[in-house]
Amino acid sequence: MLAGDAIARPLSGLSEADLVFNMPVITDSITRMMAIYICNSPKELGSVRSTRDDFIPLARGMDAILAHWGGSHFALDLLDKGIMDNIDALKDSGSTFFRKSGIASPHNGFTSYNRLTQAAESFDYRLTSDFSGYLHLEGKLTGTGTTTKTLLAGFPGSYQVKYIYDPEDNSYFRWRGGTKEIDKNNNQQVEAKNVVIMIAESHQIEGQYNTVAVEGSGKAQIYRNGEEIIGTWKKDKTSQTSKLYFYDSAGQEIRFVPGQIWVEVVQPNQTVSWQ
């Protein structure tokens, strides 16, 4: 779980994630990210923040181990029942997570891929995933787009996200709050090969806590190779461990360009534009 707050930017390890979910943690307001790591081992990960209940079915659907710094009581009630393997900084002895000086709390919590792996081993967690993954396009991959285009996801204020598609690189370069999304580990701008806009309802459930309807189905817009695909998303409500699927208008599962995937979970009332 990674911070969305402007004060925590730039984040460490974001460019090395295989897939990232960005989702509101307050309706019409703050977003937070969950980054999935399979192929890379970032030397530093952070700022690590708390989890929410609606990130849990997304993590379980990928057969992941959830690393977080506490969470809402809705989330912790589920995790304390053993619903999935997780590593909580609030229960850590001090060897897995650490706080960095010169950064204001609670934005100064960090870890690393190796530290998390060692912790998972110490808990005797299963380290081989059963997640089937996503389909990918094969052969020589070149973008169909010939001009630079901008994808805007209308989160509010400093949480607003845009991607600028570069046809030469066939990549979507990420910006947040009007500033390039930089990975502090390598000082490079985050570069996605695929972006999914997943439309899902959000509503407040208690005070500062909301929940997003990430189980069921809804509209989706998929961006890859410089093209926009209007489609749908689906996740079986009867099983939190079910895969989150993305389909085109013909009902065929989306094949992604090899490389980083970002899923922007956008409320129905928030603007999305591609121009």
Side-chain angles (χ1 to χ4, degrees):
M1 293 299 309
L2 296 174
D5 313 79
I7 194 174
R9 305 171 197 169
L11 297 174
S12 298
L14 200 54
S15 66
E16 295 186 75
D18 294 273
L19 186 153
V20 185
F21 290 97
N22 184 43
M23 187 161 68
V25 290
I26 298 179
T27 302
D28 294 322
S29 185
I30 297 168
T31 65
R32 187 163 294 176
M33 288 170 280
M34 182 174 72
I36 310 296
Y37 294 90
I38 303 169
C39 299
N40 298 309
S41 308
K43 63 181 181 181
E44 188 169 274
L45 286 163
S47 157
V48 181
R49 294 301 304 274
S50 62
T51 191
R52 299 289 187 265
D53 65 293
D54 41 17
F55 283 98
I56 290 174
L58 296 175
R60 292 190 72 196
M62 296 192 171
D63 195 26
I65 299 171
L66 181 61
H68 57 106
W69 207 296
S72 69
H73 71 83
F74 299 100
L76 296 182
D77 287 348
L78 294 171
L79 295 173
D80 288 344
K81 291 177 182 178
I83 194 171
M84 68 176 297
D85 291 345
N86 72 102
I87 306 171
D88 186 351
L90 294 183
K91 299 179 179 180
D92 181 50
S93 62
S95 60
T96 306
F97 300 87
F98 59 94
R99 291 199 181 276
K100 296 180 70 173
S101 61
I103 302 175
S105 179
H107 310 289
N108 58 349
F110 288 79
T111 186
S112 70
Y113 189 89
N114 287 340
R115 285 172 180 255
L116 292 173
T117 300
Q118 290 170 8
E121 290 173 342
S122 71
F123 292 140
D124 199 27
Y125 287 162
R126 175 171 49 87
L127 294 178
T128 301
S129 175
D130 290 332
F131 179 54
S132 61
Y134 285 103
L135 303 178
H136 286 83
L137 295 168
E138 299 177 354
K140 185 178 181 181
L141 299 173
T142 56
T144 57
T146 57
T147 60
T148 299
K149 298 190 75 171
T150 299
L151 169 63
L152 178 69
F155 301 113
S158 65
Y159 300 94
Q160 184 185 79
V161 169
K162 73 176 179 181
Y163 294 88
I164 297 180
Y165 174 71
D166 185 336
E168 186 173 332
D169 291 307
N170 194 25
S171 293
Y172 299 82
F173 289 89
R174 193 173 198 265
W175 296 63
R176 192 156 48 121
T179 303
K180 291 180 179 180
E181 186 80 69
I182 300 295
D183 187 332
K184 193 173 183 179
N185 285 353
N186 53 28
N187 203 36
Q188 294 179 1
Q189 186 173 5
V190 173
E191 176 182 348
K193 290 297 183 183
N194 313 269
V195 182
V196 177
I197 301 293
M198 176 176 164
I199 309 297
E201 295 278 356
S202 169
H203 67 273
Q204 295 301 116
I205 51 177
E206 178 188 273
Q208 65 177 315
Y209 297 126
N210 75 320
T211 191
V212 180
V214 296
E215 297 172 277
S217 61
K219 297 178 181 178
Q221 295 161 218
I222 300 94
Y223 300 86
R224 59 158 205 210
N225 281 340
E227 62 182 348
E228 178 184 62
I229 301 170
I230 303 300
T232 57
W233 64 268
K234 184 176 181 180
K235 182 171 168 58
D236 188 350
K237 282 186 175 182
T238 65
S239 173
Q240 280 200 343
T241 59
S242 63
K243 176 180 170 179
L244 173 63
Y245 286 93
F246 301 104
Y247 299 102
D248 63 20
S249 58
Q252 298 297 308
E253 185 177 357
I254 294 293
R255 291 182 176 271
F256 291 103
V257 174
Q260 191 175 70
I261 303 170
W262 275 80
V263 179
E264 303 286 351
V265 184
V266 176
Q267 297 170 201
N269 64 308
Q270 292 172 327
T271 301
V272 176
S273 65
W274 169 244
Q275 56 188 18

